[in-house]
Amino acid sequence: MIVDYRSEEFNVSLLFLDKLKTIEIWETGSGVKTRLAMWTKSRVPSSLHDPLLPLITYDSVLSDGDAEYSWRIVQTQGPENEAITRLSQVAGHDSVNYIVQRCKLRPDVRIAYPLTSRERMSGRLFTFPPLPSKTCFPVHIHALFALTSSRQSLRNPNETGIMQGSDNGVLIKWNQLLFHHYRPQTWDYLLKTLAEDASCSDILDAWPPYCSSVTSGDGVYWQDILSNTFKVIVGSQLKDWPTVTAQGTTNYIDLKSSLIVARGEVDADVLVVLAELGLTCVQLPQSLLDLVDDSMAKLSSSVAHERLQGVGAFDRLSADKRALVCKYLLSDTPDESKTINTLMA
């Protein structure tokens, strides 16, 4: 057990513990004590914290004495009365407040993203210490989940015979509230902070994965995590989306202010020239592109042609760039001379 704990959990056990700063493993025998391992934690306030939002942002640095590992943590500060009101609306129980107080539940959701490691991690759930529940997320998530008595899993939403308004039914609704309401808001702001200080090379790697095939176990709670997160982030209009720029740098915008295209669908050099001409394009993986609805604009040669009409920068392009963009714009436009004349006008 100690071997498993040391290899799988020890390095992150301090991540969401507020009071504990050091954790050690000692071996004793024959009057001799040997320290096998130690981790310490320090907290660095973030300059990205916005006092007007119900969220706290800070960086946590974990160290084993040889190396340091930094984590960006975003924590909700949702009012308890608001959470109880929301829970009452979906749980249909007159004693929601009593159940929440008895189980010591609060809308405390935190998401930790690794700033140091560039390796893809597989996250897990925490209720202060780590829980056995492992996820496929690129983050760790802490919340005051409603757990089973053994603390080995979340309350089972697929359990048969659960009556609407029962204590168990209320606790399942509580977990759903954490995942469907508070968790996507926290993830949204996490992405905003990563964008603002360029903390990751590809911010889309910090998104939750597609999990809709999950049909049992704790994963039922997050089977719609990608679509749910996408909806909240698009609705918030925060600048979480990386654009293609002519300078090779990464800027971030609101998705509805861009032209959206699948990764790899349009040649990268073409996108750079379109950016130079003033078009703002965002490349998305197919899993996110499938969630884009008609309220957002997708890039196509005809859409680009329409947006570029009368753009004065076209005649300032080099001959090679002009040929490149014209080839793209003509891919579904048969009248070449008309297209070029329109752009030059």
Side-chain angles (χ1 to χ4, degrees):
M1 181 181 295
I2 290 295
V3 173
D4 291 342
Y5 171 71
R6 185 176 175 183
S7 63
E8 297 181 10
E9 300 180 17
F10 189 47
N11 63 324
V12 292
S13 290
L14 287 171
L15 201 52
F16 300 111
L17 297 177
D18 296 325
K19 304 297 183 182
L20 203 60
K21 304 299 181 185
T22 303
I23 186 169
E24 302 175 342
I25 296 179
W26 289 79
E27 182 179 61
T28 61
S30 303
V32 178
K33 293 176 61 178
T34 304
R35 187 171 66 189
L36 301 179
M38 178 181 73
W39 280 85
T40 60
K41 179 179 70 173
S42 58
R43 176 166 164 166
V44 181
S46 173
S47 60
L48 300 172
H49 173 58
D50 187 343
L52 299 178
L53 294 175
L55 297 150
I56 295 175
T57 304
Y58 59 93
D59 291 346
S60 187
V61 181
L62 304 182
S63 174
D64 62 357
D66 295 322
E68 292 186 342
Y69 303 87
S70 295
W71 296 79
R72 169 66 44 78
I73 298 180
V74 176
Q75 176 183 2
T76 60
Q77 286 184 301
E80 290 186 38
N81 59 345
E82 177 194 293
I84 290 172
T85 299
R86 289 183 179 276
L87 184 60
S88 299
Q89 291 171 349
V90 297
H93 196 297
D94 295 334
S95 302
V96 162
N97 186 49
Y98 169 74
I99 296 172
V100 168
Q101 297 302 324
R102 186 191 70 203
C103 297
K104 300 180 180 179
L105 303 176
R106 300 192 314 277
D108 175 6
V109 176
R110 310 179 204 181
I111 294 181
Y113 179 80
L115 299 177
T116 308
S117 174
R118 297 304 177 208
E119 296 181 3
R120 180 78 176 185
M121 61 166 279
S122 182
R124 62 192 305 162
L125 301 184
F126 290 64
T127 294
F128 294 113
L131 298 172
S133 298
K134 296 182 180 180
T135 70
C136 49
F137 307 157
V139 299
H140 293 313
I141 296 179
H142 158 84
L144 296 180
F145 296 111
L147 305 173
T148 59
S149 57
S150 65
R151 206 179 180 275
Q152 294 301 298
S153 62
L154 308 185
R155 298 276 177 154
N156 182 7
N158 285 342
E159 183 179 334
T160 58
I162 299 176
M163 296 183 61
Q164 174 73 12
S166 66
D167 286 13
N168 199 29
V170 170
L171 294 175
I172 289 171
K173 293 294 185 183
W174 170 261
N175 286 340
Q176 291 172 343
L177 181 66
L178 294 177
F179 275 106
H180 299 161
H181 179 72
Y182 292 103
R183 191 268 324 147
Q185 290 182 349
T186 312
W187 209 312
D188 184 14
Y189 196 69
L190 168 70
L191 294 175
K192 177 178 181 290
T193 70
L194 296 177
E196 288 178 346
D197 66 359
S199 297
C200 53
S201 57
D202 186 350
I203 199 170
L204 295 178
D205 287 341
W207 270 74
Y210 176 81
C211 297
S212 293
S213 59
V214 179
T215 58
S216 62
D218 289 350
V220 172
Y221 282 109
W222 59 79
Q223 62 181 352
D224 297 326
I225 188 170
L226 183 61
S227 58
N228 189 247
T229 304
F230 182 83
K231 179 180 179 180
V232 169
I233 290 178
V234 171
S236 74
Q237 297 185 333
L238 292 181
K239 296 180 179 180
D240 294 341
W241 303 92
T243 66
V244 177
T245 66
Q247 296 76 27
T249 58
T250 302
N251 296 330
Y252 295 89
I253 62 165
D254 162 31
L255 190 62
K256 289 190 175 182
S257 301
S258 72
L259 293 173
I260 304 164
V261 62
R263 277 183 169 175
E265 181 179 321
V266 177
D267 186 83
D269 291 336
V270 172
L271 292 175
V272 169
V273 178
L274 292 178
E276 191 172 337
L277 290 171
L279 297 189
T280 304
C281 301
V282 171
Q283 297 184 89
L284 296 183
Q286 192 63 47
S287 59
L288 289 176
L289 192 69
D290 290 341
L291 301 174
V292 172
D293 60 27
D294 293 339
S295 68
M296 292 165 268
K298 292 184 179 180
L299 176 67
S300 67
S301 57
S302 58
V303 169
H305 175 253
E306 180 182 347
R307 297 283 182 96
L308 290 174
Q309 291 187 32
V311 173
F314 188 80
D315 58 359
R316 295 195 295 271
L317 293 176
S318 67
D320 288 343
K321 289 182 178 180
R322 191 179 303 176
L324 187 66
V325 75
C326 282
K327 181 179 179 181
Y328 170 69
L329 295 175
L330 293 170
S331 59
D332 63 359
T333 305
D335 192 338
E336 177 177 351
S337 60
K338 181 178 179 181
T339 297
I340 295 176
N341 290 336
T342 301
L343 293 173
M344 295 291 290

